[in-house]
Amino acid sequence: MSELKEHTWYQRHLVKVSKRQDDHRSPFQRDRARILHSAAFRRLQSKTQVMGSGQSDFFRTRLTHSLEAAQIGSGITAQLRSKFSFLCEKLKINDDALVESICLAHDIGHPPFGHGGEIALHYMMREHGGFEGNGQTLRIVAKLEPFSERDGMNLSRRTLLGLIKYPNTLCRLADKKDQTPVTNFRQLKADQWHPPKGYYQDDQDLIDWLLEPLSDQDRELFQSHTSPTSGHAKTKFKSIDCSIMELADDIAYGIHDMEDAIVTGVVTKRDFITHAIEPLKKIDDDWLQNLLEQLAENLFSDEHYRQKDAIGALVNFLITSIVIHDLNETRGTRFEEPLLRYNAVLPDVANKVLKVFKSFVFTCVIKQPHIQRIEYRGQQIVMELFEALSSDPQRLLPNNTLKRYQAAQETGTNAYRVIADYVAGMTDDYATRLYRTLFAPSMSQGFYESNR
């Protein structure tokens, strides 16, 4: 990467930045500080990860998940620097703060109540550009968080590139079939309204600036997507930093969220043997087969240090397996930009192992009726709140949000996006309290909120 190109990726959208006396931090250390000190990051402490927020003080929340993902991401970069030192120097993967920043911020855009809230907001925004958690993350860090007047946290260009998991708009990726709206919110089937994965058309100006350093060929290839006959289209590529974050996210989800379910008794030892041990036995790897002999016993042991040791062994196996691929060789691409040409990937065996654990969490935890009921309840709350707020914004929106709503109306931009921003920024607890204030007859008083 040339020195000029490197400087370009360090740039921020808002060029004028306050100078701090004797501040010797790297651009990515500044990014990490802005994320850690943001209100949007703090709100993750009361947003559902897998188990419902507030059900137990043991369950991981979006906040603790993000912290664990950042730690795993840092571990991945350390391993890659050890195994691919020359390539990592070329790609400037030499500052842990870069990947840590991306991992810390990757879930900031997720709404209350997990994927139930995401589906609810996408349904309510179906005629206004849709809603998707990753697209909302970009919006928060680059436009909404009040570190600056209009540029959000004003993060460096490379950090923002690392947050773009799906580099195309929802409207281009969405399944074109007509979907009939439900006559009653309670009839909404979640599996029929999953959003496509992408960013919002409303934020195209930001994407244009972000991808400015790329050649026309690289930009077109980076934003390319599948063309399925049914279902949403999917983007094909991401940056090297994003690929590290995504692996860290998947490991934290597949292994640590599994730990939550085991320790709290949500899943049984029999579940684990049936849905994890048996599929893992089919994978041809000597180290793994030796681990499997005692894995179930250790994970379900009353001696918690044995559980921790088993979890640590799995995480270490996955992290140390990760390699860097040259996509121009492995996938026949023609990327000029090194940040797009190379990706961190799990080799075949480790990838199969992680898929088994992710499938186990999905099948035996997320799809459990008591988890789905909580998600369904949250889905209803989010739709009811959006409908109420959009029915009379002048009356029901808080002052700062109302100003943004009125400004959007005056400039002819998407005012419904402002309501979606407000609802998406709520924690599970906040959304529940507001719902009770608006709709529960027993609530004689509302609740006070800070200017948002």
Side-chain angles (χ1 to χ4, degrees):
M1 199 184 310
S2 70
E3 206 171 296
L4 178 61
K5 208 62 168 295
E6 182 184 337
H7 176 71
T8 301
W9 290 114
Y10 286 166
Q11 287 177 347
R12 304 177 189 276
H13 193 257
L14 177 62
V15 178
K16 289 185 66 177
V17 179
S18 299
K19 299 292 183 182
R20 310 295 187 197
Q21 185 176 359
D22 297 327
D23 187 350
H24 302 295
R25 294 173 297 171
S26 72
F28 308 127
Q29 288 172 328
R30 292 189 182 95
D31 289 349
R32 181 176 58 191
R34 294 176 189 187
I35 293 162
L36 281 169
H37 292 289
S38 68
F41 183 74
R42 291 196 301 277
R43 290 189 187 110
L44 296 179
Q45 67 187 302
S46 188
K47 288 191 178 186
T48 293
Q49 170 59 12
V50 171
M51 317 297 288
S53 172
Q55 286 185 283
S56 166
D57 60 3
F58 180 85
F59 295 152
R60 286 164 169 86
T61 63
R62 289 277 179 188
L63 180 68
T64 56
H65 163 77
S66 298
L67 291 170
E68 288 177 332
Q71 185 274 325
I72 294 170
S74 179
I76 293 172
T77 56
Q79 289 295 323
L80 294 178
R81 284 197 298 267
S82 174
K83 292 190 289 188
F84 302 91
S85 56
F86 176 77
L87 191 52
C88 286
E89 182 62 31
K90 175 183 177 181
L91 297 170
K92 301 300 179 185
I93 305 177
N94 51 11
D95 188 342
D96 284 348
L98 169 62
V99 168
E100 286 178 4
S101 296
I102 296 166
C103 290
L104 289 169
H106 82 281
D107 268 354
I108 273 180
H110 280 267
F113 308 113
H115 290 293
E118 182 179 46
I119 287 165
L121 276 175
H122 178 59
Y123 176 77
M124 301 306 291
M125 289 289 291
R126 63 193 181 277
E127 296 178 0
H128 309 289
F131 179 90
E132 197 271 329
N134 296 282
Q136 191 67 18
T137 290
L138 177 66
R139 188 168 172 80
I140 289 172
V141 300
K143 289 192 173 182
L144 302 180
E145 186 66 26
F147 178 87
S148 64
E149 186 177 1
R150 294 186 183 88
D151 294 279
M153 299 180 196
N154 196 33
L155 304 179
S156 60
R157 185 185 253 124
R158 181 163 173 176
T159 299
L160 290 176
L161 183 70
L163 285 168
I164 304 294
K165 292 175 70 172
Y166 312 106
N168 215 313
T169 62
L170 269 65
C171 60
R172 291 196 192 100
L173 299 171
D175 189 351
K176 303 307 180 187
K177 72 178 181 186
D178 291 331
Q179 286 182 290
T180 304
V182 295
T183 56
N184 185 294
F185 288 157
R186 294 184 181 180
Q187 297 173 350
L188 186 74
K189 288 182 171 58
D191 59 1
Q192 296 178 3
W193 288 95
H194 282 288
K197 299 292 187 181
Y199 61 84
Y200 308 139
Q201 185 65 47
D202 298 324
D203 299 325
Q204 186 61 54
D205 58 330
L206 171 65
I207 298 297
D208 290 340
W209 171 81
L210 178 59
L211 302 185
E212 206 172 68
L214 301 180
S215 66
D216 291 343
Q217 173 187 293
D218 272 8
R219 177 167 179 166
E220 183 178 356
L221 182 57
F222 183 53
Q223 296 195 282
S224 62
H225 55 78
T226 61
S227 302
T229 54
S230 63
H232 300 310
K234 297 179 180 179
T235 56
K236 299 178 180 179
F237 301 106
K238 57 183 69 70
S239 72
I240 176 70
D241 305 317
C242 185
S243 70
I244 295 172
M245 175 270 284
E246 196 162 40
L247 287 171
D249 184 24
D250 284 350
I251 292 171
Y253 165 78
I255 307 300
H256 290 302
D257 289 343
M258 175 187 71
E259 180 187 10
D260 272 6
I262 290 172
V263 174
T264 55
V266 173
V267 297
T268 66
K269 187 175 178 181
R270 179 176 293 180
D271 292 331
F272 185 74
I273 291 172
T274 301
H275 296 282
I277 296 294
E278 292 303 323
L280 289 170
K281 284 182 178 178
K282 299 175 183 177
I283 299 174
D284 184 17
D285 182 81
D286 291 340
W287 181 90
L288 177 64
Q289 296 309 316
N290 289 332
L291 178 71
L292 294 182
E293 291 179 7
Q294 291 295 319
L295 184 59
E297 293 297 328
N298 289 337
L299 287 176
F300 287 85
S301 171
D302 291 333
E303 297 173 305
H304 296 309
Y305 74 89
R306 291 176 61 187
Q307 295 175 340
K308 284 295 181 184
D309 187 60
I311 291 293
L314 288 170
V315 172
N316 184 71
F317 167 71
L318 293 169
I319 288 177
T320 56
S321 298
I322 295 170
V323 296
I324 297 178
H325 275 187
D326 181 344
L327 301 187
N328 288 1
E329 294 181 0
T330 60
R331 296 179 61 177
T333 59
R334 297 179 63 186
F335 280 119
E336 300 168 13
E337 171 56 58
L339 295 181
L340 305 183
R341 176 176 173 175
Y342 297 95
N343 270 190
V345 299
L346 273 173
D348 186 55
V349 168
N351 191 44
K352 288 178 180 177
V353 170
L354 183 54
K355 282 184 175 180
V356 168
F357 287 118
K358 288 172 63 180
S359 176
F360 173 72
V361 172
F362 183 77
T363 303
C364 296
V365 183
I366 292 176
K367 283 301 182 183
Q368 287 298 309
H370 71 282
I371 299 292
Q372 287 300 305
R373 287 168 184 166
I374 294 169
E375 191 173 286
Y376 175 83
R377 181 185 65 188
Q379 181 179 303
Q380 302 303 309
I381 289 173
V382 168
M383 288 189 289
E384 294 275 9
L385 287 178
F386 189 98
E387 183 180 53
L389 294 168
S390 59
S391 71
D392 197 347
Q394 306 285 341
R395 184 183 184 189
L396 299 177
L397 288 179
N399 290 337
N400 283 355
T401 305
L402 180 58
K403 288 177 183 177
R404 289 184 53 235
Y405 180 86
Q406 291 171 331
Q409 286 187 311
E410 290 169 4
T411 57
T413 54
N414 189 354
Y416 285 96
R417 181 65 62 198
V418 177
I419 298 176
D421 290 339
Y422 176 51
V423 177
M426 296 179 183
T427 63
D428 296 12
D429 292 341
Y430 182 97
T432 301
R433 293 201 312 273
L434 181 57
Y435 179 87
R436 288 172 180 165
T437 297
L438 293 174
F439 303 116
S442 61
M443 294 289 286
S444 58
Q445 293 181 331
F447 67 96
Y448 295 100
E449 62 180 317
S450 60
N451 289 325
R452 293 164 67 95

